[in-house]
């Protein structure tokens, strides 16, 4: 399977959008670890309706005009990862959940660390809002886009955090 991609500028840096024939497969960060999400081969795309829609919806999100995305998604991962990523999609705009909350939601209350690992490998950043997952004490925790990007996204959604 080939993945069509394009890049877009955003307030949190350049994002790379990847699509398969089934849906949006990834939103990657400018300095993303190349081993974090492995979707190959990639073909640079011109006009692609799904990438057009994803780019437009992300721009609307960053402008404060969109709180939910309406895109077909094509997650690639293990069954456990897909369960975690599906749980991310249920976190409302402007709210956060802890890793323990997600572990309980998917019926694996003792799997907090595994949930954290799956969250860190979420290929469809922002759209599947892994930035809305915080530590048990509400603190900002690791994020593929960096903690500054995580803070920016949460503040965009109306959350505020003390500077570290």
């Amino acid at each position: 399977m080939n993945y069509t991609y394009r890049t877009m500028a955003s307030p949190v840096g350049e994002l790379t959008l990847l699509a398969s024939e089934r849906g949006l497969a990834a939103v990657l960060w400018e300095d993303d670890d190349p081993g974090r999400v492995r979707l190959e081969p990639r073909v640079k795309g011109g006009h692609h309706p799904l990438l057009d829609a994803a780019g437009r919806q992300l721009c609307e999100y960053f402008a404060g005009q969109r709180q939910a995305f309406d895109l077909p998604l094509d997650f690639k991962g293990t069954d456990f990862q897909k369960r975690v990523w599906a749980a991310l999609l249920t976190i409302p705009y402007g709210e956060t959940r802890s890793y323990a909350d997600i572990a309980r939601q998917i019926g694996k209350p003792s799997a907090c660390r595994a949930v954290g690992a799956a969250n860190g490998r979420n290929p469809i950043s922002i759209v599947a809002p892994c930035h809305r997952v915080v530590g048990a004490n509400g603190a900002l925790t690791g994020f593929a886009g960096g903690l500054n990007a995580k803070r920016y996204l949460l503040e965009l959604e109306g959350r505020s955090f003390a500077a570290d």
Side-chain angles (χ1 to χ4, degrees), residues 79-98:
D79 288 342
F80 179 83
Q81 288 172 328
K82 289 177 183 179
R83 288 174 61 200
V84 170
W85 301 335
L88 298 177
L89 295 170
T90 70
I91 305 172
Y93 180 91
E95 294 186 20
T96 57
R97 299 290 184 271
S98 70

Side-chain angles (χ1 to χ4, degrees), residues 8-153:
M8 68 173 278
S10 85
V12 290
E14 184 176 86
L15 300 175
T16 300
L17 313 179
L18 281 82
S20 71
E21 65 272 2
R22 285 180 284 218
L24 184 65
V27 176
L28 304 176
W29 301 94
E30 190 168 356
D31 296 321
D32 220 324
D33 174 354
R36 188 179 76 81
V37 176
R38 296 184 181 148
L39 299 174
E40 303 290 341
R42 298 179 185 179
V43 178
K44 187 159 186 148
H47 173 72
H48 188 291
L50 182 55
L51 292 178
D52 294 344
R56 183 182 67 256
Q57 289 186 30
L58 282 162
C59 286
E60 292 167 356
Y61 169 81
F62 287 120
Q65 300 167 342
R66 175 175 288 277
Q67 295 186 1
F69 294 90
D70 182 20
L71 299 163
L73 304 179
D74 186 16
F75 283 113
K76 297 287 187 254
T78 67
D79 288 342
F80 179 83
Q81 288 172 328
K82 289 177 183 179
R83 288 174 61 200
V84 170
W85 301 335
L88 298 177
L89 295 170
T90 70
I91 305 172
Y93 180 91
E95 294 186 20
T96 57
R97 299 290 184 271
S98 70
Y99 297 102
D101 292 333
I102 300 295
R104 282 190 298 276
Q105 182 178 342
I106 66 168
K108 299 283 186 182
S110 63
C112 296
R113 292 180 75 144
V115 165
N119 194 60
R121 292 185 96 53
N122 170 29
I124 311 177
S125 297
I126 305 171
V127 175
C130 52
H131 61 278
R132 295 181 189 152
V133 182
V134 297
N137 62 357
L140 297 183
T141 55
F143 186 59
L147 291 184
N148 286 337
K150 185 170 188 164
R151 178 178 285 108
Y152 178 90
L153 296 172

